[in-house]
Amino acid sequence: MTASGDLPVDVWTWSLDIDEALAAKLSAWLTGEERKRASAFVTPQLQCRWIAARAGMRGILASVLGVSPQTPVFALGPHGRPELAGVDSPCSFNLSHSESLGAFSVSEAAVGVDVEQIKALPEGVAGMVFSKTEIAALEAAPEDARAVVFYRYWTAKEAVLKALGTGLSVSGRSFTIDISRPETPRLVSADWKDEDTQAWQLAAFHPKDGFAGAVAVRTQRPLRLNLQSWSFGE
């Protein structure tokens, strides 16, 4: 397949560590409901990070759509996935944030993105969300590499689930990811009705040191990943 057949997938990353003055300024981009959700966080840092995540999403969408950051209106899909309302745009988008990092993806096809800070291996989580094949591969990894392997699986699986847009109705144990090629994980099996695992493309990316990231798109076209950094000064 030629490059003209590739599917562009844009992924932006940005820092969520902003000061309270900037957070107050960016709050003007948010709806009253979003500001209410931000105020529910118990510490100023968490409030600022949540505002930075939502404002970053709005700022990037504004640049893509050619509108102001306050313009996009979101409606929730059947399983709670945010969608654009009242805007004639074919793009699919997805937001992820972990600790101090935000990530946002846009594509023509249904897209999911996930970023995670790599921490100590969370005890017992793999058994609840990984398939038997994935658990065996994780246990076979060298002990000092298991946390990285875990988050490579986790981000790829989360990206798939977010692209599906079905929320918690699909279990992480119902499908298997192959990460033997770390940069190009693959969906190799899924216990979903009428689902073609060949109609998926995944890609891992390195958002910053100490983090893992992945995107998943329901398409048979090869992905052309366009990684970009975002700042509120743009």
Side-chain angles (χ1 to χ4, degrees):
M1 184 173 290
T2 64
S4 62
D6 294 351
L7 179 68
V9 179
D10 294 309
V11 178
W12 292 264
T13 59
W14 67 99
S15 173
L16 303 182
D17 280 338
I18 60 174
D19 59 33
E20 293 183 50
L22 180 54
K25 180 180 178 180
L26 293 175
S27 290
W29 292 8
L30 309 185
T31 64
E33 179 60 28
E34 287 173 320
R35 288 191 288 271
K36 182 179 178 180
R37 290 180 64 184
S39 68
F41 288 94
V42 295
T43 68
Q45 182 187 54
L46 292 177
Q47 292 174 9
C48 288
R49 284 179 172 179
W50 197 88
I51 290 169
R54 299 293 291 194
M57 176 180 70
R58 285 184 167 276
I60 294 166
L61 271 178
S63 66
V64 171
L65 300 174
V67 298
S68 72
Q70 297 96 326
T71 297
V73 176
F74 303 106
L76 297 181
H79 299 280
R81 178 187 172 97
E83 302 171 350
L84 284 173
V87 176
D88 184 18
S89 173
C91 72
S92 171
F93 62 90
N94 195 230
L95 171 70
S96 178
H97 47 96
S98 175
E99 299 295 336
S100 63
L101 181 70
F104 187 70
S105 61
V106 174
S107 183
E108 297 173 10
V111 63
V113 65
D114 191 57
V115 290
E116 299 290 342
Q117 185 177 32
I118 298 172
K119 302 178 181 179
L121 193 64
E123 186 176 351
V125 174
M128 294 186 290
V129 297
F130 285 11
S131 70
K132 292 180 179 179
T133 300
E134 292 165 342
I135 292 172
L138 178 64
E139 292 176 346
E143 187 172 354
D144 60 355
R146 283 181 191 165
V148 172
V149 172
F150 173 89
Y151 283 104
R152 284 176 179 165
Y153 274 123
W154 181 273
T155 52
K157 291 175 77 69
E158 278 291 305
V160 168
L161 288 171
K162 294 172 80 175
L164 274 174
T166 52
L168 298 176
S169 64
V170 173
S171 167
R173 292 180 293 180
S174 67
F175 64 100
T176 296
I177 301 290
D178 176 8
I179 62 165
S180 56
R181 295 181 178 180
E183 294 184 358
T184 54
R186 295 185 304 121
L187 176 63
V188 293
S189 66
D191 298 331
W192 309 329
K193 183 179 179 180
D194 301 326
E195 185 65 46
D196 180 8
T197 57
Q198 299 302 311
W200 283 86
Q201 299 290 330
L202 284 70
F205 63 94
H206 179 67
K208 63 180 291 187
D209 288 348
F211 286 79
V215 294
V217 185
R218 188 184 279 177
T219 181
Q220 291 184 336
R221 296 163 60 186
L223 303 186
R224 177 158 45 88
L225 204 59
N226 181 22
L227 299 177
Q228 306 168 68
S229 58
W230 169 266
S231 74
F232 293 106
E234 295 178 357

